[in-house]
Amino acid sequence: MAVDVAVLLILGIVIVFSCRGGGLKAGHALACAVFGLYLAGTENIGPFVKDATASVAHLLSGLRL
């Protein structure tokens, strides 16, 4: 659990500095994806992230463009 929190903190800091530093590049996007996977794997926030993702996907699938 402590390792997950440390990894989340480090990846979160990387994302913040990447966004502030002039845009998101491929390496930054990879860091964001890894951050999301670690965040979804946590016990407290994981179910919320999965439910929110499913809700957004359901909302987007219902849109007619």
Side-chain angles (χ1 to χ4, degrees):
M1 176 80 173
V3 173
D4 290 338
V5 173
V7 170
L8 282 172
L9 183 63
I10 291 169
L11 288 172
I13 291 170
V14 168
I15 292 168
V16 167
F17 282 116
S18 297
C19 290
R20 294 176 112 196
L24 210 59
K25 296 182 172 82
H28 304 141
L30 180 63
C32 290
V34 172
F35 178 76
L37 290 173
Y38 268 100
L39 187 62
T42 59
E43 294 177 16
N44 296 334
I45 302 174
F48 172 73
V49 170
K50 290 177 185 176
D51 290 342
T53 304
S55 296
V56 169
H58 187 320
L59 176 75
L60 292 177
S61 68
L63 293 177
R64 295 183 184 229
L65 299 174

